[in-house]
Amino acid sequence: MNEFEFTQETSDLKETNESSDVRASINPGMLGYSVTRIAAIPEVKEKINDVKEDISEVLHDAKESVVEFGEKVKDGLKDFCANVYENVKDYFTDAKSIETRTTQWSREFSETREFGLQECSDAAIRIFTPEVIDNWGTMSKEQRTEIATSYANEVAKAFELAIYTGVIIEELEPGVGGYNNGDGSIHISNDLIGSWTTPFEIMDTITHELRHQYQNECVRGYHDVSDEVRNEWAVASEIYNYDQPSCYDPWGYTYNPLEIDSRYAGETVVRNVTNQLFNDLIA
């Protein structure tokens, strides 16, 4: 056996013995037995009892502190709520005031939302007759353009526009039916006048875009609307952004108050016309 072999063998033997010692020292049964024997020693037992008493006192004091803290928090909340109630109780307990404010808000909202829509619907029913709707695809582009322009003129009257310069039909980006930039004119896609569209798209788009003109004029003070409506539309104009996806800018375009209002206007006219046509059929 050379020196290396002896050293290696000795090392292996030492490692084996150390491992055995460690395993023996942490044997659960022996460890539990040893602890029990030590705890039975009178002096140790007395110390353990003293520690138990100290821990019990600490827990008792902590419980009292927690309860006291909870009471203080509860009292503080009660005082806070009482103070808030004192400041606003007149607002909530004055039934007449509630009725007045609710009526005022409802009236202003309804008046603004519905303004001009009945007149637009009446004009659409007169212009987009069942014959026009049935023959729309076979009409010439000039005829469709004339009908669209006639309806736009009526919508401008219904919204009592201060600035209106007519309809501009031109090539627009794919998917864009029209737009309004507040100068009094509305731009309509050349494709929207095509034979493959429907009269409902025309009345919806024209109403929608001229509603934007009305909103613009309200912000500029041409029409008598509530300050709340004017302020909302003014802010909406500043954050208007149709280039940003709605998931990143929810008020930029899709849910912008201006778009919500204009969609309501256009879709309401289409709904009213459809309702009238269907009821005439079954009358």
Side-chain angles (χ1 to χ4, degrees):
M1 181 182 296
N2 57 34
E3 182 178 359
F4 173 78
E5 291 173 342
F6 175 79
T7 303
Q8 184 67 43
E9 182 179 354
T10 304
S11 176
D12 292 343
L13 180 60
K14 181 179 180 181
E15 182 178 355
T16 301
N17 291 335
E18 289 177 349
S19 300
S20 299
D21 293 341
V22 171
R23 285 195 297 272
S25 64
I26 62 175
N27 184 283
M30 294 183 64
L31 181 61
Y33 176 75
S34 300
V35 170
T36 302
R37 290 293 302 275
I38 293 173
I41 299 174
E43 291 81 359
V44 174
K45 188 174 183 179
E46 182 180 355
K47 288 294 183 182
I48 291 175
N49 290 333
D50 292 342
V51 171
K52 287 182 178 179
E53 292 178 1
D54 292 340
I55 292 175
S56 178
E57 291 178 1
V58 169
L59 292 176
H60 180 73
D61 294 341
K63 179 180 179 182
E64 291 183 349
S65 298
V66 171
V67 172
E68 182 181 355
F69 175 75
E71 290 296 328
K72 289 182 178 179
V73 171
K74 185 172 68 175
D75 292 340
L77 288 174
K78 287 169 63 178
D79 292 341
F80 173 78
C81 293
N83 291 333
V84 171
Y85 176 74
E86 288 297 324
N87 291 331
V88 301
K89 66 178 182 179
D90 292 339
Y91 182 91
F92 289 103
T93 56
D94 185 352
K96 183 177 180 180
S97 179
I98 294 174
E99 182 180 357
T100 301
R101 283 189 297 273
T102 303
T103 302
Q104 180 180 356
W105 291 337
S106 300
R107 184 177 64 253
E108 290 176 350
F109 175 78
S110 179
E111 288 178 352
T112 302
R113 183 185 63 178
E114 302 296 335
F115 176 74
L117 297 189
Q118 186 58 57
E119 290 79 2
C120 290
S121 300
D122 293 340
I125 291 172
R126 289 196 310 270
I127 294 172
F128 295 97
T129 63
E131 291 74 25
V132 169
I133 294 173
D134 290 340
N135 298 313
W136 184 261
T138 60
M139 290 181 179
S140 66
K141 183 177 180 180
E142 289 73 19
Q143 289 175 311
R144 290 191 292 270
T145 299
E146 182 180 356
I147 292 173
T149 302
S150 298
Y151 177 65
N153 293 338
E154 293 299 318
V155 174
K157 293 178 183 178
F159 289 148
E160 300 179 4
L161 298 181
I163 307 172
Y164 176 65
T165 57
V167 179
I168 299 174
I169 299 174
E170 58 185 338
E171 292 291 337
L172 298 178
E173 298 177 20
V176 178
Y179 71 90
N180 168 268
N181 55 20
D183 64 354
S185 63
I186 58 170
H187 298 251
I188 299 298
S189 170
N190 187 59
D191 294 338
L192 201 64
I193 307 297
S195 59
W196 52 89
T197 58
T198 73
F200 297 105
E201 291 179 81
I202 295 293
M203 67 179 78
D204 186 358
T205 301
I206 289 176
T207 307
H208 182 111
E209 299 306 334
L210 284 178
R211 183 68 174 187
H212 280 318
Q213 177 66 32
Y214 171 72
Q215 295 163 350
N216 183 280
E217 293 183 5
C218 286
V219 173
R220 294 160 65 183
Y222 287 107
H223 302 279
D224 184 20
V225 295
S226 68
D227 291 338
E228 287 77 10
V229 172
R230 181 176 289 105
N231 292 338
E232 179 188 35
W233 286 351
V235 173
S237 298
E238 292 299 322
I239 63 175
Y240 194 89
N241 176 19
Y242 55 82
D243 293 326
Q244 185 75 271
S246 294
C247 59
Y248 299 120
D249 190 3
W251 289 300
Y253 179 72
T254 303
Y255 297 112
N256 187 285
L258 301 176
E259 282 301 311
I260 292 175
D261 180 68
S262 287
R263 283 200 302 270
Y264 176 80
E267 291 170 0
T268 295
V269 170
V270 172
R271 183 173 62 250
N272 289 342
V273 171
T274 300
N275 178 271
Q276 183 67 47
L277 289 174
F278 285 2
N279 277 278
D280 287 345
L281 288 175
I282 62 176

